[in-house]
Amino acid sequence: MDFLTDFKPLTVQPQEIEGMSFNMIDEEFGQHSFTEEQYKIVQRVVHASADFELGHSMLFHEKAIQSGIKAIKNGEQVYADVQMIVSGVSKGRIEKHGGNVHVYISDEDVMKEAKRLNTTRAIISVRKSIQQFDGGIYAIGNAPTALLELIRLIKGGYAKPSLVIGMPVGFVSAPESKEELAKLDVPFITNVGRKGGSTVTVAALNALSLLAEKA
């Protein structure tokens, strides 16, 4: 099997690859108006997506970083709209302070209620989340309906998150949901347009937990 014996393994260590990647991002990203802490999050998002346009389109509430760090260090809970976010988050940095990452999208009671009301599980899972914990961080990367429902609950005074990381991907309602989020006077991290997704939402949350670890 020549394809095995001829294989030349990559000798660069993983941490070196990451460092090289970040250097390349810094070189190619160009001018921006992000603060140093905001750029740490943008950098991770670009690293996860290889999408500079997405990075440049990111928006931050002025209190987003401070509020997110405080929430993590105070052991506040994290709500995720889909399991993929739970799988990708570096949970150790959140759990060490007493927090955890929760997802309710596949819970039996959520599925039954969504069927009864003829609505989406994403909407019902957000409603369940505000009954489970006050404040906390909401990480929404897949379902625009989840973000729109959270926005409705915030406007109604039913939800008071410490931070909303809202970057759902898609064509239907995704850009609009992020536009609405950016109008709220609550700490948020979002982006403009259709791009986004669970991967970049995870990257933003992981970058935030790294900032919390160093704070």
Side-chain angles (χ1 to χ4, degrees):
M1 296 186 178
D2 291 340
F3 73 94
L4 290 177
T5 56
D6 291 344
F7 174 69
K8 298 292 188 294
L10 185 66
T11 56
V12 181
Q13 296 301 309
Q15 59 269 28
E16 293 181 67
I17 296 175
E18 182 177 84
M20 291 166 62
S21 297
F22 285 170
N23 287 338
M24 293 173 70
I25 291 168
D26 291 343
E27 290 173 3
E28 295 184 38
F29 196 81
Q31 292 186 335
H32 62 84
S33 59
F34 297 115
T35 67
E36 183 178 349
E37 288 186 325
Q38 289 171 354
Y39 182 66
K40 293 291 184 184
I41 293 178
V42 172
Q43 189 183 48
R44 290 268 170 186
V45 167
V46 174
H47 183 250
S49 63
D51 192 329
F52 288 93
E53 182 182 71
L54 172 57
H56 278 287
S57 78
M58 290 184 67
L59 301 173
F60 294 82
H61 185 276
E62 60 181 4
K63 297 181 180 178
I65 308 297
Q66 177 186 354
S67 184
I69 289 174
K70 183 179 178 181
I72 290 173
K73 298 194 78 169
N74 285 348
E76 294 188 32
Q77 304 303 301
V78 178
Y79 163 79
D81 63 331
V82 289
Q83 183 64 41
M84 188 179 297
I85 290 177
V86 181
S87 300
V89 168
S90 298
K91 291 182 281 293
R93 292 197 294 268
I94 293 170
E95 292 171 351
K96 69 186 287 186
H97 298 290
N100 212 324
V101 186
H102 307 266
V103 61
Y104 304 119
I105 193 79
S106 297
D107 287 6
E108 186 176 350
D109 58 336
V110 168
M111 291 189 286
K112 285 183 177 179
E113 185 69 0
K115 185 175 182 180
R116 184 181 74 83
L117 296 177
N118 192 30
T119 190
T120 69
R121 289 185 292 152
I123 287 174
I124 302 302
S125 66
V126 170
R127 293 179 186 176
K128 180 175 180 176
S129 72
I130 68 166
Q131 296 173 333
Q132 300 297 313
F133 52 86
D134 295 325
I137 296 173
Y138 283 73
I140 299 175
N142 183 73
T145 54
L147 183 53
L148 287 170
E149 179 64 7
L150 178 60
I151 291 168
R152 185 185 74 83
L153 293 169
I154 291 170
K155 287 180 176 180
Y158 301 106
K160 297 179 181 179
S162 298
L163 173 67
V164 180
I165 303 175
M167 295 195 285
V169 63
F171 295 92
V172 179
S173 298
E176 293 83 359
S177 67
K178 290 179 275 192
E179 287 177 16
E180 290 302 310
L181 175 61
K183 294 176 184 177
L184 297 182
D185 189 22
V186 297
F188 65 77
I189 298 172
T190 189
N191 71 290
V192 177
R194 296 169 172 173
K195 295 180 179 182
S198 298
T199 302
V200 297
T201 302
V202 165
L205 182 54
N206 283 340
L208 185 66
S209 68
L210 281 169
L211 289 173
E213 196 166 67
K214 296 174 182 177

